[in-house]
Amino acid sequence: MTRLSNFVIKICKITGFLCFSTPVFASNVCDKFYQKADVSSVINYGNVIYKSVPKSEIVSFQKLNNPEKTLGVTVANIQIKYDFDFDRYKVRDGVCVNLSKMNFFVGYPVLNVLIDEKYEKGSCEYDAIKQHEKEHIAIYQRELKYYGNLLIEELRNAVSDISPMFFLKNISQAKVKAKIDDIITKNPNILLIKQKLEKSVIDGNRAFDSEEEYLRVNSQCKNW
């Protein structure tokens, strides 16, 4: 049994996804070594970090409803991270590899809340912005709770469909990683769920950043 170090597939930024795929073929000589992998999973809702930054950094983000009125923004990247174990079996002319264990971690490593540095921590304005951004955090996490479970279900299905893999002669960790990465990232169901998660988060954040909400936040303090 070989234990591999952590390997990360970045489904980077909530705004983008890129997948490269190549065909993967299983050799019949390896089929007899198939055993279902033991799969575990964790949804990571993210460690929330508040940062005071220049206004220019906040408005540099795309897809803001009203950049001039935006005094804070919450940013998160969703990742699928996994590690795995596999068994190897020597056969004529090569090696068969069967996955024995997969550990999936789906979610946000961190939720960065950026607040205009013009407002000091503890001030009325800072606290009003912070409370507003907490709802954006809730939107990210609420959508992840729903779609994250769907992602994990599809990841489990994808792993169950991975037959023992045949490699000519020497086998490297990089080759095993590349094939598993390819199998997961080209899966159309995983891509579709990711796209739905992305859309739900964007739509939810845009709907919340309404003119009424701006007026509500602005009415809480006198010294904007």
Side-chain angles (χ1 to χ4, degrees):
M1 180 176 284
T2 303
R3 180 70 175 179
L4 294 186
S5 59
N6 285 351
F7 178 60
V8 177
I9 301 176
K10 291 186 177 180
I11 307 182
C12 267
K13 294 281 183 190
I14 203 67
T15 58
F17 178 85
L18 181 62
C19 121
F20 296 93
S21 63
T22 55
V24 176
F25 300 96
S27 174
N28 290 335
V29 73
C30 295
D31 289 347
K32 62 185 177 182
F33 299 114
Y34 175 77
Q35 292 187 36
K36 189 175 181 179
D38 180 22
V39 181
S40 65
S41 59
V42 174
I43 295 180
N44 181 8
Y45 290 98
N47 181 33
V48 180
I49 298 178
Y50 294 91
K51 299 178 181 179
S52 293
V53 301
K55 176 68 177 290
S56 60
E57 184 173 341
I58 293 172
V59 299
S60 68
F61 289 95
Q62 298 178 352
K63 299 184 179 180
L64 296 176
N65 277 8
N66 192 330
E68 293 305 315
K69 292 183 178 180
T70 301
L71 305 176
V73 65
T74 299
V75 183
N77 297 333
I78 185 166
Q79 290 184 346
I80 296 175
K81 178 180 177 181
Y82 65 83
D83 57 37
F84 60 95
D85 296 340
F86 66 86
D87 297 323
R88 65 176 78 193
Y89 305 90
K90 290 184 179 180
V91 294
R92 184 178 178 180
D93 299 326
V95 179
C96 293
V97 168
N98 184 71
L99 293 179
S100 59
K101 189 173 184 179
M102 292 286 293
N103 304 308
F104 287 108
F105 307 87
V106 176
Y108 312 119
V110 65
L111 286 155
N112 285 307
V113 181
L114 310 181
I115 298 177
D116 191 338
E117 65 183 5
K118 176 181 178 180
Y119 306 107
E120 295 184 1
K121 292 182 180 179
S123 66
C124 176
E125 294 83 2
Y126 181 94
D127 290 342
I129 297 168
K130 184 176 180 179
Q131 289 302 315
H132 169 83
E133 292 304 319
K134 283 184 176 180
E135 180 57 31
H136 286 297
I137 293 170
I139 291 169
Y140 275 103
Q141 293 178 335
R142 183 168 61 247
E143 298 303 326
L144 175 62
K145 182 177 182 180
Y146 177 74
Y147 287 103
N149 282 306
L150 294 180
L151 274 174
I152 286 173
E153 182 179 350
E154 289 302 329
L155 287 166
R156 287 178 175 272
N157 291 337
V159 169
S160 69
D161 290 337
I162 298 178
S163 300
M165 296 171 282
F166 176 77
F167 294 87
L168 290 171
K169 297 183 179 180
N170 295 331
I171 176 176
S172 69
Q173 293 183 354
K175 288 180 179 179
V176 178
K177 290 178 181 180
K179 287 199 172 186
I180 296 174
D181 185 13
D182 178 71
I183 290 168
I184 292 175
T185 58
K186 75 176 183 180
N187 184 291
N189 292 333
I190 293 173
L191 177 57
L192 179 61
I193 294 169
K194 185 268 166 186
Q195 291 171 337
K196 288 183 177 180
L197 168 59
E198 173 185 289
K199 185 177 187 303
S200 293
V201 168
I202 292 174
D203 290 348
N205 284 329
R206 283 180 172 175
F208 181 63
D209 281 333
S210 63
E211 183 66 20
E212 290 76 15
E213 174 62 11
Y214 169 75
L215 293 173
R216 185 194 69 79
V217 174
N218 192 61
S219 68
Q220 295 183 32
C221 307
K222 297 180 180 179
N223 300 316
W224 290 104

